[in-house]
Amino acid sequence: MTPQFIRQLIIHTLCNVTGESPKDLIALDRVVLNTRDWEQVFSRLESTLDIQTGMMTSSERSISIEALASVLHTKLSGDIST
């Protein structure tokens, strides 16, 4: 799975959960979510990618799309090679 695909999946998931447009989300350095939206986003991403990020229970409620895409890509690459 390419980093670009993961990035698009993150944006798509954020749009579906928050109702924001992709353009509005991409313009943000960090996306701030309430607890419900945070849990929904990570539940969907973990389910779609069949991984556990450990982020659903994180007290942090803001993410950088680029940083998250990098973390998820690394996690997926690591899971595949083991």
Side-chain angles (χ1 to χ4, degrees):
M1 206 171 289
T2 67
Q4 181 62 22
F5 177 82
I6 295 169
R7 181 179 180 276
Q8 289 174 340
L9 176 63
I10 292 166
I11 293 167
H12 175 77
T13 303
L14 285 167
C15 289
N16 281 338
V17 171
T18 66
E20 297 290 329
S21 74
K23 183 179 177 181
D24 290 341
L25 290 171
I26 292 168
L28 300 172
D29 285 331
R30 295 190 68 79
V31 178
V32 179
L33 301 168
N34 63 39
T35 300
R36 179 186 169 279
D37 287 351
W38 181 268
E39 290 170 354
Q40 288 254 337
V41 165
F42 282 97
S43 175
R44 291 178 187 197
L45 288 173
E46 289 179 357
S47 175
T48 300
L49 298 171
D50 194 26
I51 60 172
Q52 287 187 319
T53 63
M55 295 185 73
M56 280 193 22
T57 58
S58 171
S59 61
E60 180 71 29
R61 294 293 185 255
S62 70
I63 55 170
S64 159
I65 293 171
E66 303 305 323
L68 180 58
S70 177
V71 167
L72 293 179
H73 182 260
T74 301
K75 176 109 175 115
L76 286 168
S77 297
D79 286 348
I80 290 169
S81 65
T82 56

